[in-house]
Amino acid sequence: MAAEAAAPHVVSSATGSPGTVEEQEAAGVGILLQISMLVLSFVLGHILRRRKFYYLPEASGSLLIGMIVGGLANISNTQKSTRLPLVECMMFGALVSATDPVTVLSIFQELGTDTNLYALVFGESVLNDAVAISLYRTMATLRTHPSGQNFFLVILRFLENFVGSMSSGIGVGLISALLFKYAALGVENLHNLESCLFVLFPYFSYMLAEGIGLSGIVSILFTGIVMKRYTFSNLSEDSQRFTARFFHLLSSLAEAFVFIYMGFDIAMEHQSWSHIAFIFFSIIFILLARAANVFSCAYILNLARPPNCQIPRQYQQALWYSGLRGAMAFALALQSVHDLPNGHGETIFTATTSIVVLTVLLIGGSTGTMLEALQVVGDSNRYHHLYDENSNGNDIGYMGQNYDEGASTSSKFKSKLRDLSRSTTSFALLDKIYLTPIFTSQNRDNNDETPDNSPNKELTISRGPSELEGS
């Protein structure tokens, strides 16, 4: 009996009571925080000495570090500990990854930035929107069906949503190209019908995808790309001019309305400002994650490109700086308020709106200064000049480089990347030889000589349907 009576005491002593465990965890976090502050203080002091910055002594720097960390700890003590489940964290990561560099792109056009940099920023934005929407929907489905939280099942559902939406959009775009090619709508008395059908097809693609449970935004994006590539050249010249101006007008109106609506809704919607630490660290890690993403992807791409076609360091920095969050992240965050219980949606919405306001006002407002500091303003040939600087006069073979058996692993990896880049050239040949003659009624080379097919114009036209949908 004595042994049985002592058994619970022994077990509780070994495992520790709940209060004791929490105190031990808190003590461990406190020690970790103190060590981190010491390391940060030493590193800051070293940087200040190396930079010969004497306006902030080491003692003052240490004092500021302690005040900042103490203030954050004080804030965290006055709020509930917000613990989001992994699926909800993935939903937040998916929605906040959508970039919306509308402000940056308008400044690019005003300052005369190279069209290649414009295309990099714009292309990343539209693809980010498509992937972010598909990821968010996939994670939201997993949250409501916990039994399906399998890694391979997650990938399968994501591919089902994304590839299905993309295929739907491409299919509608190709059908529209064939219709305008063979329907002979380019006669004078049918210009209005031609323009009306061209405007309606993207929205038909959107409603079709939504009706079958796919993403309408992803579908309308690829419909716009295909219609610009094939259907647009099948229009008469009058209809081409009208639809280009019409979509540009609606795009401008939609962008203005979206930001007005965002500002109004941010002020009217209930915010959860008690989680300042979550918002602060979200902003910090978003900046770090974007830097890791942009520079690592650019490095891999440069391995597969010839020296005179690599992405310069200045352009990589501009691409990192242009990662504003806007309408798409805001819309998904607003949806999370209804999708997530226990105030988690409100916490995500407040963090997202803080990120949107910070990036649009601060980063967007300083874009001009950033471009001038990077010296990528006003010279359309600067892109090629920077490429020439990177090449250092060494013209290395690009396609199909062979490597010896004794070559290094890095050289073999570069060669495989360059061989992989052949697929882009192969698709271009496929498009020129087969797809363009099938889906267009005009010579593509002659059509590309028209003023409406300049690089900026093409981006503006293809941007119309997706931007309108985003509103």
Side-chain angles (χ1 to χ4, degrees), residues 92-408:
F92 175 62
L95 68 90
V96 84
S97 66
T99 58
D100 187 13
V102 174
T103 305
V104 174
L105 293 178
S106 63
I107 297 176
F108 281 5
Q109 290 181 330
E110 292 178 3
L111 297 180
T113 307
D114 188 86
T115 54
N116 294 283
L117 177 59
Y118 185 101
L120 285 173
V121 176
F122 176 81
E124 184 213 8
S125 174
V126 293
L127 290 178
N128 269 357
D129 287 352
V131 175
I133 295 167
S134 299
L135 276 177
Y136 180 85
R137 288 194 171 190
T138 301
M139 296 304 165
T141 303
L142 289 180
R143 195 193 69 83
T144 56
H145 299 84
S147 59
Q149 291 184 4
N150 182 277
F151 177 74
F152 295 101
L153 185 60
V154 171
I155 296 178
L156 181 62
R157 289 182 177 177
F158 168 75
L159 293 177
E160 176 186 2
N161 188 280
F162 182 79
V163 176
S165 303
M166 179 181 65
S167 302
S168 173
I170 293 176
V172 172
L174 295 178
I175 292 173
S176 69
L178 293 175
L179 173 65
F180 283 94
K181 178 180 179 179
Y182 294 107
L185 299 175
V187 296
E188 185 176 357
N189 59 341
L190 293 179
H191 287 172
N192 290 336
L193 175 61
E194 187 181 34
S195 300
C196 289
L197 290 176
F198 187 84
V199 172
L200 289 176
F201 260 101
Y203 297 99
F204 172 78
S205 171
Y206 173 82
M207 298 307 300
L208 175 64
E210 289 291 332
I212 59 179
L214 299 175
S215 173
I217 298 179
V218 177
S219 179
I220 199 176
L221 166 65
F222 286 96
T223 299
I225 294 174
V226 173
M227 291 185 68
K228 171 56 190 170
R229 180 64 181 172
Y230 302 113
T231 312
F232 186 76
S233 62
N234 293 333
L235 299 177
S236 61
E237 293 183 1
D238 291 339
S239 296
Q240 286 183 357
R241 287 191 293 268
F242 171 77
T243 54
R245 293 170 182 171
F246 179 74
F247 278 124
H248 182 70
L249 171 64
L250 291 185
S251 178
S252 300
L253 291 175
E255 289 172 3
F257 175 79
V258 164
F259 280 96
I260 291 174
Y261 173 78
M262 286 172 54
F264 181 82
D265 200 67
I266 288 174
M268 296 296 296
E269 191 75 19
H270 177 69
Q271 307 285 346
S272 178
W273 294 108
S274 59
H275 307 288
I276 303 297
F278 176 77
I279 298 172
F280 173 78
F281 287 109
S282 296
I283 296 173
I284 296 298
F285 285 115
I286 283 173
L287 295 176
L288 295 177
R290 177 162 181 81
N293 176 48
V294 169
F295 295 116
S296 61
C297 290
Y299 174 77
I300 296 175
L301 285 175
N302 286 340
L303 292 178
R305 292 187 172 193
N308 61 337
C309 291
Q310 294 187 355
I311 302 176
R313 176 63 64 176
Q314 293 93 324
Y315 280 30
Q316 297 178 30
Q317 294 171 353
L319 186 61
W320 169 76
Y321 199 84
S322 304
L324 282 71
R325 270 61 176 181
M328 192 58 63
F330 176 81
L332 293 176
L334 192 61
Q335 180 65 34
S336 69
V337 176
H338 306 284
D339 293 341
L340 302 180
N342 302 324
H344 292 179
E346 295 179 354
T347 302
I348 290 178
F349 178 76
T350 304
T352 305
T353 54
S354 301
I355 295 170
V356 169
V357 172
L358 177 68
T359 56
V360 171
L361 295 183
L362 294 184
I363 298 180
S366 59
T367 300
T369 304
M370 178 270 297
L371 294 176
E372 293 177 355
L374 295 177
Q375 299 180 352
V376 292
V377 175
D379 186 2
S380 59
N381 297 320
R382 187 179 299 275
Y383 189 63
H384 306 286
H385 175 66
L386 292 174
Y387 280 169
D388 294 337
E389 290 181 354
N390 289 340
S391 63
N392 294 325
N394 297 324
D395 190 9
I396 304 175
Y398 180 40
M399 296 298 179
Q401 277 194 335
N402 297 323
Y403 47 86
D404 300 330
E405 294 181 356
S408 63

Side-chain angles (χ1 to χ4, degrees), residues 9-31:
H9 177 72
V10 173
V11 172
S12 62
S13 299
T15 58
S17 61
T20 305
V21 173
E22 292 180 357
E23 291 176 358
Q24 292 176 352
E25 291 180 353
V29 172
I31 295 174

Side-chain angles (χ1 to χ4, degrees), residues 9-68:
H9 177 72
V10 173
V11 172
S12 62
S13 299
T15 58
S17 61
T20 305
V21 173
E22 292 180 357
E23 291 176 358
Q24 292 176 352
E25 291 180 353
V29 172
I31 295 174
L32 175 63
L33 200 60
Q34 293 175 6
I35 296 176
S36 301
M37 287 189 292
L38 285 173
V39 173
L40 183 60
S41 176
F42 289 133
V43 172
L44 178 62
H46 175 70
I47 294 175
L48 293 176
R49 288 193 300 269
R50 288 287 302 271
R51 299 293 182 180
K52 297 182 179 180
F53 188 83
Y54 303 116
Y55 300 100
L56 183 65
E58 295 183 32
S60 300
S62 302
L63 178 63
L64 288 176
I65 292 174
M67 291 176 62
I68 293 173

